[in-house]
Amino acid sequence: MSAHLDALRQAVAVSPDNVPLLVLLADGCLDQFLLSEAKQYFQRALAKDSHHLGAQLGLARVAYQEGNLSEAVVRAEAITAAHPPCAEAWLLLSRLAFLEHKLNEAREHYAKARSLDPNLRDQGLEKDLSKPSTGAPPPPPENLKPLPATLIEGEEPDGPSAFESEHPADEPNLSSAAAFDLSVEFERPSIAFADVGGMNAVKEDIRMKIIYPLKNAELFRQYGKKTGGGVLLYGPPGCGKTLLSRATAGEIKGTFISIGIHQVLDMWLGNSEKNLHKIFELARQNTPAILFFDEVDALASDRANMKFSAGRNVINQFLAEMDGATGNNEGILILGATNAPWQVDPAFRRPGRFDRVLFVPPPDEEARVSIIELMAKGKPVQKLDARALAKRTKDFSGADLKAVFDVASEEKLAVAMRENRIVPITTDDLIRAAKSLQPSTRAWFENAKNYALYANQSGFYNDILAFLGIKK
Ligand SMILES: Nc1ncnc2c1ncn2[C@@H]1O[C@H](COP(=O)(O)OP(=O)(O)OP(=O)(O)O)[C@@H](O)[C@H]1O
Ligand SMILES: [Mg+2]
């Protein structure tokens, strides 16, 4: 088997741009649990062909195997949103939902995967799903062995881990959210702006547009100004849109309710409007609340396929809820995020809806320094030279920087296990890891540039042009 991998490695060395070959090698590595190597080849394949389904699926699986469950969910959901018939992505989502104790959702996803591909089966999962729900946490996947406590990475800031089943006493009660068949993330985030590196301009915008109006609601009322409405964050993947949204909720000590748009669209016909209403009601009962809608573009892009008729009703319901036509939205801040703002239906950008649109750029050098410093916290990093690493990670997103730490940590962890002692990570290790990775934001800008140049109605994408240093 490893001889087979070696042959593939040699073939890739000869044809480094051969995407199917890269994916084949990556899949082989994944089978052997060579996770960081698999990840690297999948990423290289995606850098050449950003739409490669096998590579996208591969990265979702790597994240799952690594125990980065929130990343795995995000990746798998992105796949099912763009390629609804991808049975394997539904299967992965089913496993992930099961780990998150969302039994109904897990069953639904499993049924969906089987209906798309009857040959796809996971008998272990099937057995788990057929058990009545006991409320006891399911065991983690077998490969997720606990790490020595000293080497465990800093807390993953993006979403709670699936294993944190205990909620602190002051945490909102999840049962009201679980009462309907829709998976919503519902929490009081403990992270605030200080936990998000850089992004000062966007943070300030959010303070001005969201936080101050909320804190001075009475004053705003006196002047006849309504608070609320929505802010749409857009930009390349992995640059902190989701993280910053959670931190905004933490900043106002409010509730964070997160929901993927395609989840709304995938709900059974007829129920989706009702459920959407319940989500808004949930927010109204838990103010101040940030209602976070991820992948807002899915609303528009889904119109192209068969979900059109169901989608239209949901969209109208969504707009009505946003407009406050069905309840009082005081104290609710609606944040949306998208990588593809050009696909968002203009109806969403009318006043009172997502009327403020903020570009979330990749971190500049200064921002990378602070992100790197944040990420090094709680890890055995020796004499960190954040500036040196920041200088060598141009165009890296926050998520890419996290990958740099992951790769370096993994290497050191292997040594640490062999030598049975803590082996510190050095700046050189991190720089080496950075060299092995590709920044993921460039591909996004190549695409975005076209919209900014040729579909820039009312200067909507001026921020992109400014970022690219293009004068109009
Ligand atoms: N400014 C930042 N400070 C600290 N960590 C960051 C920052 N930006 C990104 N990260 C890291 O990258 C991960 C991914 O970021 P996040 O999910 O917020 O990106 P995103 O913009 O929502 O991406 P996508 O468009 O793919 O949804 C975060 O969980 C965090 O670990
Ligand atoms: Mg996100």
Side-chain angles (χ1 to χ4, degrees), residues 156 158 196-197 199 237-243 339 371 375 398-399 402:
E156 162 72 62
D158 196 13
V196 181
M199 308 184 78
C239 291
K241 295 182 293 298
T242 303
L243 184 65
N339 300 129
I371 295 175
M375 287 183 175
K402 184 163 183 291

Side-chain angles (χ1 to χ4, degrees), residues 64 87-100 102-103 105-111 113-114 120-131 138-139:
Y64 171 74
E88 282 170 272
W90 288 109
L91 180 62
L92 184 57
L93 278 179
S94 168
R95 289 198 188 108
L96 286 161
F98 176 69
L99 285 177
E100 293 184 303
K102 296 169 185 161
L103 214 54
E105 196 185 316
R107 288 190 185 117
E108 237 173 81
H109 290 337
Y110 190 73
R114 288 296 308 275
L120 201 63
R121 281 196 83 166
D122 180 332
Q123 290 182 330
L125 181 64
E126 232 168 79
K127 226 162 80 197
D128 287 329
L129 293 181
S130 63
K131 284 181 205 142

Side-chain angles (χ1 to χ4, degrees), residues 12 28 50 101-102 120 152 170 182 204 212-213 220 227 259 267-268 336 338 367 413 453 457 470:
V12 162
S50 62
H101 323 304
K102 296 169 185 161
L120 201 63
I152 291 179
D170 65 339
L182 172 71
E204 193 48 31
Y212 298 150
F220 272 69
T227 58
I259 159 147
M267 292 180 300
W268 291 300
T338 175
L413 183 58
L453 283 173
Q457 302 102 336
I470 298 172

